[in-house]
Amino acid sequence: MEELLRRFSTSKPVTWLTSRAVVLASAWFYALMLLVTMPASQIRRYSGPLRFPDVGPDQMIGLCVVLALPILPVRRLPATVFAAVLVEEVALGNLFGARPWIVLLLLLVLAGYLAARRPTAAAVGSVAAVATLFAERTLVHNGESVGYAAPQAGQFAFVFAVAWVFGGVYRKRREYLEALDEQTAARAVMAERLRIARELHDSVAHSIGIITVLSGAAARVVQTKPEQTRQALTGIETTSRETLLGLQRMLGALRRAEPDDAMPGAAPLAPAGSLADVPRLAARTAGAGVRVHVTWQGERRPLPPEIELSAFRIVQESVTNVVRHSGARTCRVAVGYEPTGVTIEVVDDGDDGPGGPGRPRPPAAVGGSGFGLLGMRERVTLLSGQFSAGRRPEGGFRVAARLPA
């Protein structure tokens, strides 16, 4: 319900209607206050150039409505509306002999509103308003002396300055919030880019490592063992197809495209990888010369999608590291289901394990960027889990993680 109310209150039609309703209500309030603060008797007693001795209630209502009409375009033309109200103040005082205080109050509100949108125009308008009021006092209204009118002009200048400051503070706050929204959006874009880079690394690095090992093995036995060469090439083809499907699936999800009915074989848009894919990962890795023994502990159950994907990526990256950077012929993967989470452990015995002498390392095994371990640690940290990785005293390498679920 709160989400629906938030969306309803921030929708464009509701915002448009609300703003128009506020402007219309302000215009009607201004007309009503003019009717209250400018009685007809005040105009009848005036003997200036425009005198209405027979002003009745209907004429007064019509006059107040006409004077309130310039407020309606205030959102599009705030400076023009400010000038129009200032002209109304001069006209009411010098042509009709009426000086309602609501006009001055409206000028102050418009000065603050104009300062929030166009500070320079607000400053010029405020100076013009103070100068106009001062000129009325000294040149038109009873011919007051400059010394008597100057303090009142100073008071007007002070209140207009306060309105300008309030409008400037609101403008700065709005600019700050807009900049904050832009920074938040930029951070979200950067986080999404990092997530995509991590997904690409996890999905492609394993497959490229397997392809590298298989292609090297095929090149060495292509003349002497054609059957093994055929198996290696078959493994390369299978791994390449699966990697291509994974990339298509990821790109499709990023585009948020709808499934194409004309292409029933198109890659699905669902996230790739879960713990159910670990056996297939082990079978594919066996073709690269590393046997993966998978053990399951606890009662297997469905996990949240982000936990399933992260757990599979951790296993995949760990096995990839064994293939690419270790000479081990075997590694062990243990997945344990606990009441409050899932544990993952990937262990290899290195070159001197019980599987006999270590296999030859591919050229890609030299060095390493270190992004694999960093990505695994980031995944676990984002999910509030625990992660450890390091060499074992008895030889080999161990990766362990626990994800709450």
Side-chain angles (χ1 to χ4, degrees):
M1 180 61 69
E2 292 180 357
E3 180 67 17
L4 290 177
L5 290 176
R6 185 188 66 81
R7 292 183 179 180
F8 178 78
S9 61
T10 57
S11 63
K12 289 185 178 180
V14 173
T15 304
W16 186 87
L17 289 175
T18 302
S19 61
R20 294 324 187 262
V22 170
V23 172
L24 187 61
S26 301
W28 279 110
F29 178 77
Y30 178 60
L32 179 62
M33 294 306 298
L34 279 177
L35 188 63
V36 173
T37 58
M38 188 176 61
S41 58
Q42 188 178 17
I43 297 179
R44 293 194 188 98
R45 291 194 303 267
Y46 182 64
S47 59
L50 292 180
R51 183 171 179 271
F52 296 96
D54 299 326
V55 175
D58 295 338
Q59 289 80 6
M60 281 296 302
I61 294 175
L63 177 62
C64 293
V65 171
V66 170
L67 293 176
L69 290 179
I71 300 179
L72 297 179
V74 67
R75 290 179 57 84
R76 292 185 293 107
L77 304 170
T80 304
V81 173
F82 183 87
V85 175
L86 182 59
V87 171
E88 287 183 5
E89 197 279 334
V90 174
L92 287 174
N94 299 308
L95 299 181
F96 302 126
R99 299 181 181 277
W101 57 266
I102 189 62
V103 181
L104 180 59
L105 179 61
L106 180 60
L107 283 175
L108 292 175
V109 173
L110 288 175
Y113 178 75
L114 191 58
R117 300 182 59 181
R118 298 171 58 185
T120 303
V124 173
S126 299
V127 172
V130 174
T132 300
L133 295 173
F134 180 76
E136 281 188 304
R137 296 280 180 180
T138 55
L139 301 178
V140 180
H141 182 59
N142 297 330
E144 296 179 356
S145 64
V146 174
Y148 182 80
Q152 293 182 343
Q155 294 176 358
F156 288 142
F158 174 76
V159 292
F160 273 103
V162 170
W164 189 88
V165 168
F166 272 99
V169 170
Y170 177 81
R171 185 185 73 258
K172 292 296 183 181
R173 179 180 179 274
R174 184 185 61 195
E175 293 175 352
Y176 170 75
L177 292 177
E178 290 176 355
L180 198 62
D181 291 340
E182 292 178 358
Q183 293 178 2
T184 303
R187 280 198 218 87
V189 171
M190 183 60 66
E192 183 66 12
R193 289 178 178 176
L194 292 175
R195 187 190 68 81
I196 294 172
R198 186 164 57 242
E199 290 293 333
L200 287 174
H201 175 275
D202 292 342
S203 61
V204 175
H206 171 78
S207 300
I208 295 301
I210 297 296
I211 291 173
T212 302
V213 174
L214 291 176
S215 60
R220 284 193 296 270
V221 300
V222 64
Q223 298 294 338
T224 59
K225 299 179 179 179
E227 183 61 29
Q228 293 186 7
T229 303
R230 187 179 299 106
Q231 293 177 359
L233 293 177
T234 302
I236 291 175
E237 180 184 7
T238 302
T239 304
S240 301
R241 289 183 182 275
E242 292 179 355
T243 305
L244 181 59
L245 284 175
L247 290 177
Q248 290 177 346
R249 185 185 298 113
M250 183 176 298
L251 293 176
L254 290 175
R255 289 194 301 264
R256 299 184 185 276
E258 293 295 333
D260 191 353
D261 295 336
M263 297 179 60
L269 300 182
S274 65
L275 289 176
D277 298 324
V278 172
R280 187 176 61 179
L281 173 68
R284 188 171 57 186
T285 307
V290 178
R291 288 180 296 175
V292 180
H293 301 284
V294 182
T295 59
W296 304 89
Q297 301 173 358
E299 183 180 355
R300 298 175 64 176
R301 67 182 189 276
L303 299 174
E306 65 275 10
I307 301 297
E308 287 276 1
L309 179 59
S310 296
F312 174 75
R313 292 303 187 199
I314 291 172
V315 175
Q316 183 185 51
E317 180 62 29
S318 301
V319 174
T320 300
N321 289 338
V322 173
V323 174
R324 299 182 64 186
H325 306 300
S326 172
R329 292 184 177 276
T330 62
C331 74
R332 299 182 298 277
V333 176
V335 181
Y337 287 84
E338 298 178 351
T340 58
V342 60
T343 60
I344 302 160
E345 184 182 49
V346 181
V347 179
D348 71 85
D349 297 320
D351 298 350
D352 301 325
R359 59 182 174 82
R361 299 189 186 188
V366 179
S369 63
F371 291 142
L373 292 177
L374 180 61
M376 289 189 284
R377 189 179 300 277
E378 288 179 353
R379 283 183 181 276
V380 176
T381 302
L382 289 175
L383 296 173
S384 302
Q386 301 173 356
F387 179 81
S388 63
R391 295 193 177 278
R392 305 166 65 213
E394 58 272 26
F397 203 85
R398 176 179 178 271
V399 174
R402 185 186 182 280
L403 301 175

